[in-house]
Amino acid sequence: MSSLAQPIERVLDEVPAVWRPVVDAWRQTPSAQALIAHVDARVAAGATVYPAQVLRALALTPLDQVRVVVLGQDPYHGPGQAHGLAFSVPDGTRTPPSLRNIFNELQREFGRAPTRTDLSSWARQGVLLLNTTLTVEDGAAASHAGKGWEGLTESLLKAVAARPQACVYLLWGAHAQRFEPLIAAHAGAPQDTLVLKSNHPSPLSARRPPMPFVGNGHFSATNTFLAARGAAVDWLA
């Protein structure tokens, strides 16, 4: 997968219309302007920045169709991995450890796991696969954390939470769980909002108490909740 090759302003200009008011409001803030300047400067200096499609999650999952939110941290920082969806990698790429544990949990819950590592099919069903930090430099995990993307993540989550539609939030790990108060504060339909928490699926934490990822049953619980309010997600697609 290629690296970022266009200015961030152009990336933001290409946001789908349904997300544009949220993104446009954020991009006027000082922190957004600082983020844009930083990423563009790093690319101009020769840094390899991933992914090429920074806002692919928004392109595949319209705001009015979000049924599930999965919050990651920052994109994969190796060549050919990040492609704009949290936890997802292009088909044919070696399965990262966290995604392997996600698939193992699906195997435990449903008797089989997806055959594709590209989770675009989830995104097209309304699963917003959103990283908190949306760019990263090659070989340098969290290199763009704290540079300003977090403000956009917060704005996107507020917009999702404020809708009247049912939504499940899968908050895996302490990083994602920091957003729970924001979700609760902006929930437009509290009775149709479900927050599920556990450790991160990383092998470093997946089995640790008190909330291990392994055996958390989140995918089945999500479908039970959504099925009672419309339609469940085909996690095996």
Side-chain angles (χ1 to χ4, degrees), residues 71-165:
L71 276 179
Q73 294 189 31
D74 68 328
Y76 297 115
H77 56 271
Q81 294 180 306
H83 65 159
L85 302 175
F87 294 105
S88 178
V89 294
D91 289 335
T93 304
R94 183 177 180 180
T95 307
S98 292
L99 183 57
R100 188 179 307 118
N101 277 337
I102 290 171
F103 284 179
N104 287 342
E105 180 61 19
L106 287 164
Q107 176 74 41
R108 191 192 71 80
E109 292 189 47
F110 299 114
R112 64 186 180 92
T115 58
R116 302 186 60 185
T117 57
D118 182 340
L119 304 181
S120 297
S121 63
W122 292 7
R124 293 188 178 96
Q125 294 181 71
V127 180
L128 183 62
L129 297 165
L130 183 66
N131 280 316
T132 306
T133 302
L134 297 179
T135 53
V136 70
E137 294 182 28
D138 181 56
S143 50
H144 289 185
K147 303 297 185 184
W149 282 124
E150 293 83 357
L152 177 57
T153 301
E154 291 179 4
S155 295
L156 295 171
L157 286 176
K158 289 177 183 177
V160 172
R163 304 166 313 141
Q165 292 101 320

Side-chain angles (χ1 to χ4, degrees), residues 13 19 32 48 52 90 93 107 113 125 158 198 201 213 216 221 231:
D13 286 341
W19 288 108
T48 299
T93 304
Q107 176 74 41
Q125 294 181 71
K158 289 177 183 177
S198 76
F213 176 84
N216 66 17

Side-chain angles (χ1 to χ4, degrees), residues 19 53-62 84-86 123 127-130:
W19 288 108
Q53 296 174 286
V54 177
L55 297 177
R56 187 162 178 253
L58 303 187
L60 293 183
T61 311
L85 302 175
V127 180
L128 183 62
L129 297 165
L130 183 66

